[in-house]
Each structure stands twice: as structure tokens, then as C-alpha cells.
């Protein structure tokens, strides 16, 4: 049965980021009905990713205010606009910040998950027709974010930016597949394509880094070295598959660098390293810890505007490879079903990342949770208990 709201604006709660570096304003907004090729979703659960905090910090060149942040969200389709063929009201869905149209040059290349269908307007905080579906009580427009804006009880996304999932999958866990878990797991099994026996080092043991570890473990990596400055990440790393943990502040000999330590531990360097910190100095270490001739370093972390990476070109001349990975190289609409199956079979840990749960109105505390070394993900629920 269709909702009584179909075709009408909906008033609901949302967290509006009016300015960089300021708390979010939890307030009532209006969400317009979806236009053609758009989908309106009732978000049930959303988590806060480090990238939401990055954009709120003002360091994101694409950060626009006021906006509704949030891109790790799962919910139920409330209504669809004309010509939407892929999801229907009542479907359980995950919002996708990496769209998949299946038709563009990128989608048909077989080389990348970076669909171009809506990326340009997405970066400008608007829907593909150049307008926004969000307005505050004063009638002012509010920008969208990463094509998702899951920090709103109702959101509107492009039809290429949403995937239906098995309704038996719990939505509180499924929302984490909207970013962090998929990103790390995919970076290991798709971007790097880690093979049995490979040696791997992961810098940064948050949700993304730990998900790289579980991907590497699933492929039979012989050594998975976790590197983090926070000792609270030691146990988590072991739980998600690390064979070793190094805290560079404590575990290096005098005058020893982390690069030297890693090269010592792996007979000349690693087959694969992953930056999951967003720190450009760490990105350099990660590259230089790779094995001469074939080691690959995958950059996943997001660095602020103006930051640049550097190394001696000799590092690349002698066979080390620098690569990047967005959303783990995963094509959201065609490959999410497989990840849900991996989760349901127990092959992919997802619930284990939910260290904190809060009602949506506590979203500002959820941003504070991010700075607490114990927190992997805070999941916010819209439904009052
Ligand atoms: N490319 C993509 O598609 C995506 C990229 N990202 C990016 O990936 C990164 C990781 O995200 P997420 O896992 O959510 O973030 P977290 O903040 O949860 O994890 C980062 C970890 O790195 C640790 N760390 C910080 N500095 C160092 C250092 N110098 N050496 C070693 N470890 C360090 C942090 O420690 P502490 O707790 O003490 O700060 C923390 O444990 C972010 O930059 C995020 O923006 C996220 C999703 C998708
Ligand atoms: N607007 C940012 C872009 C930051 C970035 O690299 N985003 C990642 C996803 S981070 C998720 O938590 C990504 O997928 N990038 C590919 C893309 O098309 O945006 C900036 O300019 O720094
Ligand atoms: Zn994210
Ligand atoms: Zn495409």
C-alpha cells in the first residue's frame, strides 16, 4: 500500500550543518517529493563516518553550507518519481554515494566504480536537475551531500544512487555497508586483490582499516600488520584479523622509523599497504614500506584541501605502485547483494563495528564519539524507543 505522503512534501527531523566547525542544528525541515528518476527514502538508521566530520571541519573543497550531511544510511523507500524502474515503495535500501548507472563511460569501462551520471551535480550539493529537495522552516534551500544526506528522517536520492537489499538484513547493520565497511573490505578484495600468502600493512585501525584487515584475512594473507597510534585499537585489530600490531609511538627502537620496522618484519617490504588515516605523511610511509619491484600502496584516507603527497620518484621507478580506492572499488548496485550475503553468512563482520548507539537527536554527541578511541561507529536511530 502506498504511503499517504506520496506526491506531497514531508515535514520531518533533520540535522542541518549551517556552518563549518559548528554543531548541527536538529530541526524540522521540509522534504519535497521525488521528481523523475528520484527516490524518497525513510531513513531508519544512519552512522557517522569520519568523512562527515571532515566536511563539517571546513576542509572539504566540495563542502557547501547549509547542508544535510550523512552518507552511511539505510531505510525503506517511501515513494518514487516517474520512470524509476529499479526500486519500489517498501523496498529496503542503502543510499549510495558512488552511483552506478550502468551506462556511462566509467560504468561500461570495466575499469572503475566511479560512475559519472550524477557526480557533477552531487559535488554541487544538488539533485541532477540542479535544485534541492530540502528546505528549512524559513523556506531556505538546504544543500544535499554526497548524493545521500542521510542525516534526515526522509531524504531524496537519484535512482542510480540507491540499491535494494534483502529485507531480512537488519538495517542498523546494513547502513554501515553504505561506506566504511564496504570501503575497507572492497579495497582489500577488489582494488588490491590481495592473494593467499600476501603480506599486508594497514595504517589506521578505524572502521575502514579494520575492514581492510578482514578482507585481507578472507583472502588468506600471511601477515596483516596493523599500525595505529592508539593502543585501544590493538584488540580490535586482532579481532578483525591482524597478526601483528605496532604503535609507532611505543614499539620502535631508538632511531628506528616505522618504515624500517615494517621492512625488517617482512624481509624487504610488504606486498600491499593501505592508508586509512588521511594523513599525507603516513601515505608516504605506507608507500615506502612496500616491497621493491611489486609492492602496492592503496590510499583510502581523505586529506584536506591543499594537502599533497610526496616521495622520491625513485620509489616508483623501483617498482612500488601508488593507487587510490573510492568505496572500495565496489559497484554499489551490482555488488552490494554479494556483500549482504557475505554478511549474512558470517564471512563479513558488520555488526561488530557498532560500538555506540544513540537516538538521532544525539547526533552531535555522535560526532564527539568519533574522537573517542573506543568508537568505531555510532549508529543513530530515527525511531524513538
Ligand atoms: N576513499 C574512500 O572511499 C573513503 C575514505 N574514508 C576515509 O578513510 C579514513 C578512515 O576512516 P575511518 O576508519 O572512518 O576513520 P577513523 O578515524 O575511525 O580511523 C582512523 C584511525 O587512524 C588512526 N590514526 C590517526 N593518525 C594516525 C597515525 N599518524 N598513524 C597511525 N594511525 C593513525 C586514528 O587514531 P585515533 O583514534 O587516535 O585518531 C584512528 O584509529 C578517513 O580519512 C576517511 O575520511 C572513509 C570512507 C570512504
Ligand atoms: N569532496 C572531497 C572528496 C573526498 C573523497 O575522496 N571522498 C571519497 C569517499 S569518502 C567517504 O567517506 C570518494 O569516494 N571519492 C570519490 C568521489 O568521486 O568523490 C574532496 O574533494 O576532498
Ligand atoms: Zn564515509
Ligand atoms: Zn555510470
Amino acid at each position: 500500500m502506498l504511503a499517504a505522503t506520496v506526491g506531497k512534501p514531508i515535514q520531518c527531523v533533520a540535522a542541518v550543518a549551517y556552518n563549518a566547525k559548528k554543531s548541527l542544528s536538529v530541526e524540522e525541515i521540509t522534504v519535497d517529493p521525488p521528481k523523475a528518476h528520484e527516490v524518497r527514502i525513510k531513513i531508519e538508521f544512519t552512522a557517522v563516518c569520519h568523512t562527515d566530520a571532515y566536511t563539517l571541519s571546513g576542509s572539504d573543497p566540495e563542502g557547501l553550507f547549509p547542508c544535510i550531511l550523512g552518507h552511511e544510511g539505510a531505510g525503506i523507500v517511501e515513494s518514487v518519481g516517474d520512470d524509476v524502474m529499479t526500486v519500489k515503495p517498501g523496498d529496503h535500501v542503502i543510499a549510495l554515494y558512488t552511483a552506478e548507472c550502468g551506462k556511462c563511460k566509467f560504468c561500461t569501462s570495466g575499469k572503475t566504480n566511479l560512475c559519472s551520471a550524477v557526480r557533477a551535480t552531487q559535488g554541487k550539493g544538488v539533485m541532477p536537475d540542479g535544485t534541492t529537495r530540502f528546505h528549512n522552516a524559513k523556506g531556505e534551500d538546504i544543500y544535499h551531500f554526497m548524493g545521500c544526506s542521510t542525516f534526515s528522517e526522509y531524504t531524496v536520492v537519484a535512482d542510480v544512487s540507491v540499491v535494494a537489499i534483502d529485507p531480512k538484513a537488519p538495517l542498523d547493520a546494513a547502513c554501515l555497508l553504505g561506506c566504511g565497511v564496504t570501503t575497507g573490505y572492497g579495497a582489500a578484495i577488489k582494488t588490491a586483490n590481495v592473494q593467499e600468502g600476501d603480506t599486508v600493512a594497514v595504517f589506521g585501525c578505524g572502521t575502514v582499516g579494520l575492514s581492510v584487515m578482514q578482507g585481507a584475512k578472507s583472502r588468506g594473507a600471511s601477515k596483516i600488520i596493523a599500525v595505529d597510534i592508539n593502543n585501544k585499537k590493538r584488540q580490535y585489530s586482532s579481532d578483525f584479523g591482524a597478526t601483528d600490531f605496532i604503535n609507532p609511538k611505543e614499539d620502535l627502537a631508538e632511531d628506528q622509523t616505522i618504515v624500517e620496522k615494517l621492512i625488517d618484519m617482512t624481509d624487504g617490504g610488504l606486498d600491499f599497504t593501505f592508508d586509512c588515516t588521511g594523513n599525507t605523511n603516513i601515505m608516504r610511509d605506507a608507500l615506502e614500506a612496500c616491497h621493491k619491484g611489486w609492492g602496492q600502496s592503496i590510499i583510502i584516507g581523505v586529506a584536506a584541501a591543499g594537502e599533497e603527497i610526496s616521495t622520491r620518484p625513485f620509489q616508483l621507478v623501483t617498482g612500488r605502485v601508488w593507487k587510490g580506492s573510492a568505496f572500495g572499488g565496489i559497484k554499489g548496485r551490482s555488488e552490494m547483494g554479494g556483500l549482504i550475503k557475505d554478511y549474512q553468512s558470517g564471512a563479513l563482520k558488520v555488526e561488530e563495528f557498532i560500538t555506540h548507539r544513540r537516538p538521532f537527536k544525539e547526533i552531535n554527541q555522535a560526532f564527539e564519539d568519533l574522537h573517542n578511541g573506543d568508537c568505531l561507529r555510532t549508529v543513530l536511530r530515527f525511531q524513538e524507543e
Side-chain angles (χ1 to χ4, degrees):
M1 201 178 76
L2 289 180
T5 45
V6 172
K8 299 177 188 158
I10 291 178
Q11 267 79 44
C12 67
V13 67
V16 183
Y18 278 99
N19 291 106
K21 299 188 179 71
K22 294 277 187 278
S23 297
L24 305 181
S25 168
V26 178
E27 60 185 52
E28 191 172 276
I29 63 153
T30 299
V31 182
D32 291 339
K35 295 189 183 178
H37 287 290
E38 295 178 3
V39 177
R40 189 159 63 181
I41 307 168
K42 183 176 191 305
I43 298 288
E44 297 290 335
F45 295 96
T46 182
V48 183
C49 169
H50 208 87
T51 305
D52 298 307
Y54 156 76
T55 300
L56 187 60
S57 77
S59 300
D60 180 353
E62 290 185 311
L64 292 163
F65 300 92
C67 74
I68 295 175
L69 296 166
H71 61 283
E72 268 188 6
I76 300 172
V77 174
E78 174 267 343
S79 62
V80 298
D82 289 343
D83 303 323
V84 173
M85 315 304 276
T86 49
V87 294
K88 59 184 184 313
D91 279 354
H92 288 211
V93 293
I94 296 175
L96 298 171
Y97 65 82
T98 304
E100 184 186 353
C101 76
K103 295 180 193 152
C104 73
K105 182 179 180 181
F106 293 82
C107 283
T108 54
S109 71
K111 297 175 183 173
T112 180
N113 64 335
L114 295 174
C115 172
S116 65
V118 296
R119 184 62 185 84
T121 46
Q122 179 171 315
K124 294 188 171 72
V126 289
M127 296 301 291
D129 73 347
T131 64
T132 165
R133 304 290 161 267
F134 301 126
H135 317 282
N136 68 10
K138 292 183 194 160
E140 295 162 343
D141 287 351
I142 305 170
Y143 287 115
H144 295 245
F145 174 66
M146 288 177 77
C148 295
S149 290
T150 58
F151 294 164
S152 175
E153 189 183 4
Y154 286 85
T155 190
V156 178
V157 303
D159 57 358
V160 291
S161 305
V162 60
V163 59
I165 59 167
D166 180 346
K168 291 194 287 301
L171 291 173
D172 56 347
C175 72
L176 302 185
L177 290 169
C179 184
V181 175
T182 301
T183 295
Y185 189 63
I189 66 166
K190 278 209 85 176
T191 310
N193 194 13
V194 171
Q195 300 293 310
E196 190 170 356
D198 284 342
T199 57
V200 170
V202 181
F203 293 75
C205 307
T207 295
V208 174
L210 295 168
S211 297
V212 170
M213 291 173 213
Q214 56 172 340
K217 184 179 178 192
S218 76
R219 286 294 177 85
S222 60
K223 216 176 217 332
I224 303 173
I225 307 175
V227 183
D228 199 299
I229 47 177
N230 180 345
N231 282 332
K232 290 180 184 164
K233 298 292 162 66
R234 189 181 294 269
Q235 185 60 49
Y236 286 136
S237 299
S238 158
D239 294 345
F240 286 94
T243 55
D244 302 81
F245 181 90
I246 304 174
N247 180 340
K249 287 188 172 165
E250 297 176 1
D251 299 334
L252 303 181
E254 210 180 343
D255 295 331
Q256 187 183 37
T257 66
I258 182 67
V259 173
E260 288 164 350
K261 170 98 179 169
L262 289 169
I263 288 174
D264 266 8
M265 288 172 73
T266 53
D267 187 25
L270 291 125
D271 297 315
F272 293 101
T273 65
F274 296 83
D275 168 72
C276 308
T277 69
N279 177 322
T280 52
N281 297 316
I282 301 297
M283 293 175 189
R284 180 177 190 149
D285 288 344
L287 178 82
E288 295 181 1
C290 284
H291 202 287
K292 180 177 173 178
W294 63 76
Q296 295 190 18
S297 187
I298 319 298
I299 294 182
I300 306 176
V302 172
E307 296 272 346
E308 294 184 345
I309 48 172
S310 62
T311 189
R312 281 191 68 212
F314 185 66
Q315 294 285 337
L316 306 183
V317 167
T318 49
R320 294 167 196 84
V321 174
W322 234 335
K323 275 189 182 178
S325 182
F327 198 43
I330 297 289
K331 288 178 176 245
R333 286 173 62 211
S334 50
E335 295 181 308
M336 186 59 76
L339 296 184
I340 293 277
K341 284 203 177 89
D342 286 352
Y343 158 56
Q344 289 173 321
S345 73
L348 176 62
K349 292 184 167 71
V350 180
E351 267 140 26
E352 289 78 354
F353 289 97
I354 308 176
T355 51
H356 296 59
R357 292 178 185 269
R358 294 181 180 277
F360 180 70
K361 62 185 178 205
E362 292 180 13
I363 188 165
N364 286 301
Q365 285 103 306
F367 274 75
E368 286 166 25
D369 293 341
L370 281 182
H371 306 298
N372 163 355
D374 282 336
C375 176
L376 297 178
R377 280 294 190 261
T378 299
V379 170
L380 299 161
R381 59 179 178 277
F382 280 93
Q383 196 160 351
E384 296 287 343
E385 288 190 323

